Structures are given as C-alpha cells and as structure tokens.
C-alpha cells in the first residue's frame, strides 16, 4: 500500500482526513496543535491534510495570531457533508416531511435528495427514520397519500435510467405496467410519474398514489427524446381524457389566472400583457360553466359553442333568481 510521505498509508490518510473534516464541522475554530493532538499526528501532517481538504473543494481558512486557527468556511459550491447518526436521521425525517408537501416548493428537491441519502443510509438508521415517519401525523393531510418507498424507488430509477415495473389502478382497471421512468412531477399534494410505457409504445402519465409494488427491473435504458415534463403532465391531467375541453379568453394576465387556477385544473397561456387563454377539460358542461363563473374577471368562450349555450342558460336562471321577490 502506498506511503503518503508522513509514515501513513493512503487508507489511514483518507480516514484521518475524514476525521479532520468531522472536527472542523463540529466547532467554529481549531488550533493546529489541538487538531494534531486529536488526530495523533504532527502539526505538519495537519497542514497537509488541510491542503487535501482544499483540493476536494472544502474552503478551510487559516488565521494567524492569538485568535487564529483553522476554520471551515463557506465556498462557491457545496462539497460532500459528513453526518453522524443523529444528524442523518434528522435530515431524512425532514426530507420525508418536505416530500409530503408540508414545505412549499421543496417536494421534488426533497425526493431527489432523499433518494441519494436513502441509498447510503445504514439499515439500522433507515429503521429509525421509518419508525419516526409512521409515528408522525401532519394536520395538512388532505389529498391522496403517496408511499415514500414508491417515491424513492422511482426517483432512483429516474436517476439511474432503469426500467421499472409496477401495478397500476386506473379508470380502466388494474394491471401491470413496464415503463422507462423519465421525470417525477409534483402539483399541489399530488405526484405524477412521466414515463415511456413499453407495452403501449408511447409516453404516459401515472398518479403515484395509484402505483403499487414498484420495483426496478435492473435493466438500464438509453434515454429517449422526451417532451417537456411539466407541459406534458399538465396537459394530461387538466385536458386529456375528458369529454369536453374548454378554451376561454380571460381578461387578466397569465400570472393572475395561474394564481387562481392550479396546473391540475387548467393550462394557462399568455395572450398579450393583460389577457390569457385558459384551457381545461371536464365531463359535465354545467359544472364547467359554474367553475368558470367563479373567475373574478370577464371572459369569452372560444370553444366549444355548447358551453356558451349552457352559460347563457345559467345566466338567465341566476338573473331571474336575483330579481325574484320573496
């Protein structure tokens, strides 16, 4: 085994550098003498190990004088972090809560990070995380619940470009699906998988709360040219598969309407600075008309013409109700 010039082998040097990093993370400032005593080496070896950490991207600052010493600073990029058992469990629990939608805007990033952490987490710590997760209840629990193991399985498969097989319960029944997972998309409290369905030879969207027994097949695949995931899933859940599709020109900006209409309900495209076009699907024109009536802005129906008829009838009925004497 190679000698590193200070009487230690490569393996012992690596272990010592990791121990040095752990010490630097545990308190703000260490003197060279303190570090040497803790590591059982000379101050010269400490200086060499500090340089090794800097080569790896860790910004270790060194100050001289009575108040000087070694200090781990903030760098331009995030280097690997060392976590002890309690810290690893705490991070994993927080990530699971964020993945469940309790932290706005962190769901997708939390799942990606949790997938990386879960891959290297020892089984004993994974059991602790699972126990805490099962014992925790959040009041913000409306909507379908997605199994965290399903999230992790699919997130790893997306990252590793591995085929996945699972049981899916959809409007047409339950069956096994073989897919090449491409992206996980979160909207509101729902999660969707965009994947290439191998049996149907086309791109499909799957709700994660309807997926069961997801498992990797262990087969890698070459990534295909794919449509934009956010646009594809938005269209699939708000327009495709409905008996009626309405296109409405709204007298408001795209941003204003998007704040009122979530992506799972409709797709909004800009039509100038102060107007936009709302596209949404539905099975009942009367219900669609009532939902459109809730919008706080004027609008015109582009299509279908049948929706205009329903709106006119509802308008006459509501107008008559407002003028009718008790």
């Amino acid at each position: 085994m190679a000698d590193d010039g200070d009487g230690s082998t490569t393996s012992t040097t690596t272990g010592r550098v990791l121990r040095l990093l752990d010490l630097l993370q545990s308190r703000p400032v260490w003197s060279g003498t303190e570090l040497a005593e803790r590591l059982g080496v000379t101050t010269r070896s400490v200086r060499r190990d500090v340089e090794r950490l800097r080569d790896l991207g860790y910004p270790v600052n060194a100050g001289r004088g009575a108040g000087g010493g070694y200090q781990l600073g903030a760098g331009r990029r995030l280097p690997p972090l060392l976590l002890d058992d309690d810290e690893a469990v705490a991070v994993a629990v927080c990530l699971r809560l964020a993945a469940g939608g309790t932290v706005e805007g962190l769901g997708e990033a939390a799942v990606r990070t949790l997938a990386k952490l879960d891959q290297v987490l020892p089984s004993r710590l994974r059991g602790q995380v699972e126990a805490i997760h099962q014992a925790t209840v959040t009041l913000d629990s409306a909507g379908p619940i997605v199994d965290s193991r399903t999230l992790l399985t699919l997130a790893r498969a997306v990252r590793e470009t591995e085929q996945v097989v699972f049981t899916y319960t959809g409007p047409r029944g339950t069956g096994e699906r073989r897919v090449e997972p491409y992206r996980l998309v979160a909207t509101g409290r729902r999660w969707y998988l965009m994947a290439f369905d191998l049996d149907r030879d086309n791109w499909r969207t799957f709700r994660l709360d309807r997926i069961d027994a997801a498992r990797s097949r262990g087969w890698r695949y070459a990534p295909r040219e794919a449509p934009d995931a956010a646009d594809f899933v938005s269209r699939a859940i708000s327009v495709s598969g409905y008996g009626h599709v309405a296109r409405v020109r709204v007298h408001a900006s795209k941003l204003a309407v998007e704040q009122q209409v979530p992506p799972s309900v409709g797709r909004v495209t800009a039509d100038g600075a102060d107007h936009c076009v709302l596209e949404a699907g539905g099975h009942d024109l009367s219900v669609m008309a009532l939902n459109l009536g809730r919008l706080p802005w004027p609008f015109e129906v582009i299509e279908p013409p049948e929706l205009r008829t329903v709106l006119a009838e509802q308008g006459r009925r509501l107008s008559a109700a407002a003028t009718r004497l008790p």
Side-chain angles (χ1 to χ4, degrees):
M1 192 170 293
D3 191 297
D4 279 0
D6 56 2
S8 60
T9 62
T10 301
S11 60
T12 57
T13 300
T14 301
R16 192 177 67 239
V17 170
L18 290 175
R19 173 62 178 151
L20 171 61
L21 177 59
D22 191 34
L23 290 172
L24 290 173
Q25 290 181 159
S26 66
R27 85 181 199 199
V29 181
W30 290 84
S31 70
T33 302
E34 289 175 319
L35 291 173
E37 291 176 353
R38 289 293 189 100
L39 299 172
V41 296
T42 65
T43 55
R44 181 183 178 185
S45 293
V46 170
R47 288 194 296 271
R48 288 179 177 175
D49 290 345
V50 166
E51 287 303 318
R52 291 184 174 103
L53 285 176
R54 288 170 176 164
D55 291 340
L56 292 172
Y58 293 93
V60 183
N61 303 320
R64 298 182 180 276
Y70 292 103
Q71 182 179 33
L72 192 62
R76 296 182 179 179
R77 61 185 179 87
L78 179 66
L81 299 177
L82 289 181
L83 302 175
D84 61 26
D85 287 2
D86 291 341
E87 292 167 340
V89 170
V91 170
V93 170
C94 291
L95 287 171
R96 285 202 176 194
L97 289 174
T102 57
V103 181
E104 184 179 359
L106 293 184
E108 293 179 76
V111 170
R112 293 196 303 269
T113 309
L114 186 56
K116 295 178 182 178
L117 182 59
D118 186 74
Q119 189 173 17
V120 297
L121 206 63
S123 57
R124 56 187 174 81
L125 299 184
R126 192 179 291 111
Q128 292 182 34
V129 174
E130 190 65 33
I132 295 173
H133 187 66
Q134 291 178 356
T136 303
V137 176
T138 58
L139 292 179
D140 186 20
S141 58
I145 302 300
V146 175
D147 181 52
S148 60
R149 288 167 296 185
T150 300
L151 271 173
L152 291 174
T153 298
L154 295 175
R156 282 197 294 264
V158 169
R159 189 180 72 243
E160 302 297 332
T161 60
E162 291 184 347
Q163 291 184 12
V164 171
V165 60
F166 52 77
T167 302
Y168 190 71
T169 302
R172 300 178 182 177
T174 301
E176 187 174 85
R177 312 296 282 268
R178 298 182 308 118
V179 304
E180 296 174 354
Y182 177 68
R183 286 289 185 273
L184 288 169
V185 177
T187 172
R189 294 191 60 86
R190 282 185 176 171
W191 282 90
Y192 296 88
L193 171 68
M194 175 183 163
F196 190 85
D197 193 314
L198 295 171
D199 295 317
R200 289 155 181 79
D201 195 31
N202 207 345
W203 294 98
R204 289 288 190 272
T205 298
F206 303 93
R207 271 178 51 175
L208 262 65
D209 58 299
R210 295 177 176 175
I211 292 177
D212 188 37
R215 57 198 182 277
S216 172
R217 304 182 71 195
W219 296 351
R220 302 290 297 273
Y221 64 86
R224 305 169 185 266
E225 184 177 351
D228 178 77
D231 184 72
F232 184 86
V233 172
S234 175
R235 175 173 289 276
I237 64 179
S238 65
V239 176
S240 302
Y242 289 100
H244 304 283
V245 177
R247 293 183 69 243
V248 177
R249 188 172 187 264
V250 184
H251 295 219
S253 68
K254 177 176 182 290
L255 178 61
V257 175
E258 285 179 332
Q259 292 175 344
Q260 294 281 336
V261 181
S264 58
V265 174
R267 301 176 71 249
V268 184
T269 56
D271 184 21
D274 301 319
H275 296 80
C276 64
V277 174
L278 170 63
E279 188 177 21
H283 294 298
D284 190 317
L285 287 175
S286 297
V287 174
M288 296 173 70
L290 287 173
N291 288 332
L292 287 171
R294 296 175 182 175
L295 294 176
W297 311 283
F299 64 88
E300 297 93 34
V301 174
I302 300 174
E303 59 182 4
E306 295 84 3
L307 181 57
R308 299 193 200 103
T309 303
V310 174
L311 279 167
E313 174 58 34
Q314 288 187 358
R316 286 191 292 270
R317 181 169 54 84
L318 291 173
S319 179
T323 57
R324 188 176 296 127
L325 294 176

